[in-house]
Amino acid sequence: KEAAPATPAAETSSTMKMATDMAISLIPQLTQQLGVTDTQAEGGMGALFQVAKSQLSADEFSELGQGVPDMSSLLAAAPSLASKSGSSSLGALSNLGGLASSLGGLGQLTQQFEALGLSSEMITQFASIAIEYFSNSSSDDNTGSLLEKGLMSILK
């Protein structure tokens, strides 16, 4: 009777290990395909996950986070932008919703990528590789489709 509760825990542990290995192997895939450093790959993905977080509901982002166990360290790797005189207008734009929101998010994302030494053209390349990566993963979750939904505003 005591062994029964251990089975779901073992399955959860195995699933988490697979998901962790999957998320960790995304970074080398980005570095190989795009010729970027680990720091650039981690920071770029963190910036993309920040955009997804702003576009998804709390439940959806939580589900996305379950598919990307190292999400918190990737989010922390994203460059934080020092407040500049123009950033308050970007914040005001994001509160208007719709097109202004995606322009504000894209502007911030562009600044974050530039802070990493990456061009703005790399944004869609990072997003495409990550969405394809998580969509083709062997897990049964919908991490790829959630990431795509979270990044839809910048991929249009």
Side-chain angles (χ1 to χ4, degrees):
K1 290 182 180 179
E2 290 181 24
T7 305
E11 285 178 18
T12 302
S13 175
S14 172
T15 302
M16 285 299 291
K17 180 176 180 349
M18 184 179 78
T20 301
D21 291 347
M22 184 180 72
I24 290 171
S25 61
L26 171 62
I27 300 304
Q29 187 168 344
L30 288 167
T31 60
Q32 290 172 352
Q33 288 187 16
L34 300 177
V36 297
T37 66
D38 284 351
T39 302
Q40 289 171 321
E42 291 167 4
M45 283 310 305
L48 288 174
F49 285 131
Q50 286 177 349
V51 170
K53 183 177 184 177
S54 72
Q55 299 296 314
L56 296 172
S57 71
D59 288 344
E60 288 171 327
F61 189 72
S62 175
E63 187 178 340
L64 177 62
Q66 291 172 4
V68 186
D70 204 25
M71 173 88 69
S72 59
S73 65
L74 290 173
L75 287 169
S80 59
L81 302 175
S83 64
K84 299 175 183 172
S85 57
S87 63
S88 60
S89 61
L90 276 180
L93 277 177
S94 349
N95 293 333
L96 297 174
L99 178 62
S101 176
S102 49
L103 288 176
L106 185 58
Q108 180 174 339
L109 192 58
T110 298
Q111 289 178 349
Q112 288 177 301
F113 267 65
E114 288 172 354
L116 290 164
L118 300 170
S119 69
S120 59
E121 290 81 26
M122 299 287 282
I123 294 170
T124 53
Q125 293 175 9
F126 265 70
S128 298
I129 290 171
I131 290 166
E132 181 180 337
Y133 180 82
F134 287 115
S135 295
N136 293 334
S137 71
S138 58
S139 65
D140 294 331
D141 63 23
N142 61 346
T143 304
S145 59
L146 280 171
L147 182 59
E148 184 173 15
K149 179 179 179 183
L151 298 178
M152 193 58 66
S153 66
I154 62 160
L155 294 176
K156 291 178 185 175

